[in-house]
Amino acid sequence: MAHTARGRDDKNEYFDPPEELEKKVDILAALVKKSKHFIVFTEGILKYVISQNTDGLHRRSGIPKSAIWELHGNNNMERCKKCGHEYLRDFKCSRSKMKHLTGRNCDNPKCGGTLRDTIINFGESLPDDELEGSFEQAALADLCVAFGSSLTVTPAADIPEEVGKRKKNPGNLVIVNLQTTPLDGVASLRIFAKCDDVSEMLAKKLSVEIPSFHLHRRLLVTSEPTGKGQRVKVAGGDSEGHPMSYLKQVKFVAKDTISSHETEPIWLLHHAGGTIKMTLYFQGHYNEPEVDIDFLSMRGQSSYKEYHLEYNPHSHKWQVKEVTGDKLAMLLEQKAKIT
């Protein structure tokens, strides 16, 4: 179960002098360069991220789902209690701190189970897959950097301790925090500094450019013939193609239909084939403007298209690219999983 305790003295903050900080980050850079399996706790070279954060920022930053364990859940993720299907949202799923039901249901017509948020509150057990997967990564790691964690919440804190205390194939534990932690005594390197400062210094020493943040989305559009006409479905996906709810509203303009939809799943039934103009409206967390996309729906035929949407929050402009060729063929094989 997740539980914690901190003494009053543990809340004091300390800062390494600039010269000492520079030397410590040099040591950290050397450890990163020679590491073969580098993991980060709570924050090409990096193999895995083990996060205690629940704000979903790691996933939003572009870290793929396959490279992160979110031990305490994700505020933007809800899961069907019945079939286990996950829904990644562009909004907070939780309705209450202690009640996990979100008020929504699984959109699979064969299921319809209740959806629950994935947050782990204090006193609740951590999910087995995430916990076991994190310990597996710790067993492989020759370097673990714990960024900004008090390292008091167990069993999560046992993961970096596994790296620091391991006697067979010993690893290096580096702790970056302004406060003391219970694991300072087993750390190979202890850095008292702000996480952002250390990350920027480390990136510079490793010649790694920190890119400007751009928002990446996928849009999946399918058209299937039915007895009443063409059924066009619109679904969102994250940068990897995992299903994600980020659309607030979609307006359709077709030859025979003008309609607007705000609830998922979003779909349009129209009788005539031809071009459908879709105006997408977003949740607005990044001040995204709406964007128009044209989709060709051929009557009596099945079709599928994928669009890559990239938003620059500095210029407030979208760039839309249609996915084609071999990449589209690969995505078609994943269609059942995504849609």
Side-chain angles (χ1 to χ4, degrees), residues 41 69 118 130 152 163 176 226 246 258 290 309 329:
F41 186 80
W69 287 120
T118 56
E130 280 77 0
T152 60
V163 180
V176 182
T226 70
Y246 59 79
I258 298 177
E290 66 271 17
L309 312 179

Side-chain angles (χ1 to χ4, degrees), residues 33 50 58 66 79 111 150 157 200-201 212 254 294 296 300 306 308 310 317 336:
K33 287 179 180 178
I50 300 169
H58 291 114
S66 58
R79 184 180 294 116
C111 177
S150 66
E200 290 178 7
M201 293 172 67
S212 298
D294 291 339
L296 181 60
E306 164 124 0
H308 175 227
E310 180 177 352
K317 292 183 179 180

Side-chain angles (χ1 to χ4, degrees), residues 9-302:
D9 293 339
D10 296 334
K11 297 180 181 179
N12 295 327
E13 294 186 347
Y14 306 91
F15 290 85
D16 286 327
E19 302 82 5
E20 185 176 352
L21 177 60
E22 191 75 34
K23 291 179 181 178
K24 287 183 175 180
V25 179
D26 280 334
I27 296 172
L28 176 56
L31 290 172
V32 172
K33 287 179 180 178
K34 73 176 185 180
S35 69
K36 294 182 180 179
H37 199 95
F38 168 29
I39 66 173
V40 167
F41 186 80
T42 313
E43 167 100 315
I45 296 173
L46 178 65
K47 295 291 185 181
Y48 227 89
V49 173
I50 300 169
S51 175
Q52 291 176 284
N53 294 355
T54 63
D55 53 22
L57 290 178
H58 291 114
R59 288 287 299 274
R60 292 191 217 176
S61 73
I63 295 174
K65 182 181 180 182
S66 58
I68 184 172
W69 287 120
E70 294 175 300
L71 291 176
H72 294 159
N74 185 326
N75 263 326
N76 304 118
M77 180 78 75
E78 54 188 331
R79 184 180 294 116
C80 178
K81 186 178 180 180
K82 186 177 179 180
C83 72
H85 186 73
E86 293 182 339
Y87 295 83
L88 185 62
R89 311 292 194 187
D90 200 16
F91 52 82
K92 185 177 179 180
C93 296
S94 304
R95 301 178 68 186
S96 167
K97 286 187 176 180
M98 299 306 296
K99 294 181 180 179
H100 292 287
L101 296 178
T102 65
R104 287 175 288 273
N105 294 86
C106 182
D107 62 15
N108 183 342
K110 296 181 180 179
C111 177
T114 55
L115 299 184
R116 296 168 57 91
D117 69 42
T118 56
I119 299 303
I120 305 299
N121 298 310
F122 287 114
E124 296 180 337
S125 298
L126 271 65
D128 292 338
D129 288 346
E130 280 77 0
L131 193 59
E132 291 174 7
S134 297
F135 275 108
E136 288 174 1
Q137 290 298 319
L140 294 170
D142 54 7
L143 174 61
C144 173
V145 179
F147 273 105
S149 173
S150 66
L151 298 176
T152 60
V153 180
T154 58
D158 297 334
I159 296 163
E161 185 177 26
E162 159 78 16
V163 180
K165 285 188 173 181
R166 192 172 63 223
K167 295 181 178 180
K168 186 178 180 180
N169 299 320
N172 289 294
L173 171 62
V174 178
I175 300 174
V176 182
N177 196 355
L178 293 177
Q179 300 171 334
T180 59
T181 80
L183 299 186
D184 287 359
V186 299
S188 305
L189 181 63
R190 188 62 180 85
I191 301 176
F192 290 96
K194 293 183 177 180
C195 297
D196 285 353
D197 293 342
V198 174
S199 298
E200 290 178 7
M201 293 172 67
L202 180 61
K204 187 175 181 180
K205 292 179 184 296
L206 296 173
S207 300
V208 174
E209 182 180 356
I210 300 176
S212 298
F213 174 72
H214 282 198
L215 190 65
H216 294 270
R217 298 286 190 241
R218 286 184 177 181
L219 185 75
L220 315 161
V221 185
T222 58
S223 177
E224 301 286 347
T226 70
K228 298 181 179 179
Q230 292 294 122
R231 186 176 188 270
V232 178
K233 181 180 178 182
V234 178
D238 65 9
S239 59
E240 295 180 273
H242 299 295
M244 180 179 185
S245 300
Y246 59 79
L247 295 170
K248 187 176 182 179
Q249 181 183 19
V250 178
K251 288 186 177 180
F252 296 95
V253 178
K255 286 182 179 178
D256 58 344
T257 307
I258 298 177
S259 62
S260 177
H261 297 257
E262 297 181 0
T263 57
E264 296 182 275
I266 296 173
W267 58 275
L268 167 73
L269 185 65
H270 73 117
H271 302 286
T275 299
I276 301 173
K277 181 178 289 292
M278 298 179 293
T279 302
L280 312 179
Y281 296 84
F282 304 91
Q283 297 293 333
H285 302 307
Y286 309 91
N287 296 317
E288 315 99 297
E290 66 271 17
V291 65
D292 293 328
I293 291 179
D294 291 339
F295 175 74
L296 181 60
S297 175
M298 301 298 291
R299 187 173 183 179
Q301 298 182 19
S302 297

